[in-house]
Amino acid sequence: MRAGRMMLQVSERHEPVGWRLRFVAAGMLLCACAGSAVAGVRTASVEQFRADVTAMQGLVAACSANAAACDAKAVSADEDVGKPGVDGGFAMHWKWMRDALDTAAKAKPADRATAMKVAETRLEELTQEIGASPGGGDFAKQRGLANSILARPEFHGTTEPSAWDRFMARFWRGVGHLLDGVTALGNAAPWMSTVLGWALFLGAAALLGFFVLRAFSRQRLRVALAEGAAHATAWDRESTDWARLADARAAEGDWREAVHGLYWAAIVHLEAKRSWRHNPSRTPREYVRLLKAGSPQQRALGGLTKIFERVWYGFGEASDAEYGRARSMYDGLASGAADAPAAPDATAAAERESA
């Protein structure tokens, strides 16, 4: 402190000299700090380092058997084996051993044994690295060979990770944290594993049932569509059969049966077009009222119905001309020229009747 005050006084009196003294003082402080930093590091040969490792192995065995023997102060000081970075030399820091002994001294017997087992494994690896022979020549040689290999260009080429690599690293890190959390939750609540197992099982069963029902629904829909097409084909064929019967009776001159056949050919054709639901209890005029009022379809069926009622129910005389008018009305319905949708109120009435 006195020397420092003297230097400050000198610097105040002589400014150029004071700057030089300040640099000298700073250099002395840096040397003192460096000396204090490396004061705890000693230089050791390979044989001395091997002896230290053996001593550490004995300390680990004693600590594993008795917590009182876990003395971190008994650990060797940090040491430079040879010259670090030259001819296979390296620096050995024993802080990890001191930390392990401090932790083991306060741990439970099972945890202490586990920690000492880890330390023992690490000491065995150090023993294998320095070699089993008492001389250090082989170790130094092998260490130098390893350093020469690591100095090759292929071991110095580094590439910057891409954005995708960083994203995947963060993703898997998050997955790891999630799994760690699940493990911790399972340890805290053992019943959670059973609940999660049943939840996954029931979820899988529900999903399987959903797909099975969906498959059955699609199958029923295909069957219904196929049946609908078959029914429509049957209705069309029956309508054609009625029309052929009417032509056959007209060729024989039986106009009454011919008109009767045309009428039912028209009724069956309209049922095949879903103009109404099948209900054989309806009267001819009820069929007409089920169609949209004023539509060409209703007018055609209405005209055909009048001819049919007069000839069939009224036993009126029929002729070739009258059959021709009935045939033209049926042809208009069959060809679609007179097609029109059924009236909404008429369709509702038909559904109530069928119910």
Side-chain angles (χ1 to χ4, degrees):
M1 295 293 292
R2 185 176 181 183
R5 287 196 297 271
M6 291 176 65
M7 286 189 289
L8 289 175
Q9 291 173 0
V10 172
S11 64
E12 291 174 356
R13 294 175 184 176
H14 305 283
E15 190 65 24
V17 178
W19 280 108
R20 289 194 292 271
L21 290 176
R22 288 179 184 178
F23 281 119
V24 172
M28 293 172 63
L29 289 174
L30 290 175
C31 292
C33 293
S36 62
V38 299
V41 180
R42 68 186 181 88
T43 303
S45 64
V46 176
E47 290 78 6
Q48 291 172 339
F49 177 67
R50 184 181 291 107
D52 292 340
V53 172
T54 303
M56 294 303 102
Q57 288 176 334
L59 182 59
V60 167
C63 178
S64 180
N66 186 3
C70 300
D71 186 10
K73 297 180 180 180
V75 179
S76 174
D78 295 343
E79 49 194 339
D80 289 336
V81 183
K83 293 182 179 180
V86 179
D87 296 333
F90 61 94
M92 182 63 199
H93 299 280
W94 294 102
K95 184 179 182 301
W96 64 272
M97 175 61 75
R98 298 186 190 95
D99 294 340
L101 291 173
D102 287 337
T103 303
K106 305 173 185 178
K108 296 179 180 180
D111 296 336
R112 184 176 69 252
T114 301
M116 291 299 99
K117 184 65 177 177
V118 174
E120 181 182 358
T121 302
R122 188 167 180 178
L123 290 172
E124 289 178 356
E125 293 176 353
L126 288 175
T127 303
Q128 294 175 2
E129 288 181 1
I130 62 177
S133 61
D138 291 341
F139 171 73
K141 182 179 179 181
Q142 296 298 327
R143 188 73 182 189
L145 180 60
N147 290 337
S148 64
I149 293 175
L150 294 176
R152 294 176 180 173
E154 59 265 24
F155 292 100
H156 292 274
T158 58
T159 57
E160 183 72 17
S162 62
W164 175 254
D165 294 335
R166 290 193 293 270
F167 170 76
M168 292 303 298
R170 289 194 296 269
F171 172 75
W172 288 117
R173 192 182 306 117
V175 172
H177 291 328
L178 179 62
L179 294 178
D180 292 340
V182 172
T183 303
L185 180 62
N187 294 332
W191 52 270
M192 283 295 295
S193 59
T194 304
V195 173
L196 289 176
W198 277 104
L200 291 175
F201 173 76
L202 293 177
L207 189 62
L208 178 62
F210 169 76
F211 281 113
V212 170
L213 292 177
R214 187 176 180 182
F216 282 149
S217 299
R218 290 182 175 180
Q219 185 176 5
R220 285 196 298 269
L221 178 61
R222 286 194 296 268
V223 172
L225 291 176
E227 290 179 352
H231 290 164
T233 303
W235 281 109
D236 290 340
R237 186 167 54 250
E238 186 174 353
S239 175
T240 304
D241 292 341
W242 276 108
R244 289 175 179 174
L245 178 63
D247 291 337
R249 293 294 182 266
E252 297 174 357
D254 191 351
W255 306 115
R256 184 171 183 269
E257 288 291 340
V259 171
H260 178 260
L262 283 178
Y263 173 78
W264 281 111
I267 295 297
V268 172
H269 172 75
L270 291 174
E271 285 187 356
K273 296 294 183 180
R274 300 182 182 275
S275 298
W276 53 67
R277 291 188 178 182
H278 177 68
N279 186 358
S281 63
R282 293 193 187 99
T283 63
R285 296 189 181 185
E286 287 177 343
Y287 284 119
V288 176
R289 288 196 297 269
L290 289 177
L291 298 176
K292 185 177 181 179
S295 63
Q297 194 179 31
Q298 189 188 46
R299 289 196 298 270
L301 182 63
L304 182 59
T305 300
K306 289 180 182 179
I307 296 174
F308 169 69
E309 287 180 339
R310 188 184 66 79
V311 172
W312 187 257
Y313 294 112
F315 295 96
E317 293 292 335
S319 63
D320 184 9
E322 197 167 25
Y323 175 76
R325 290 196 303 273
R327 181 70 191 192
S328 63
M329 295 175 186
Y330 167 74
D331 290 340
L333 289 172
S335 63
D339 285 352
D345 53 348
T347 303
E351 292 179 353
R352 287 194 298 270
E353 293 178 6
S354 62

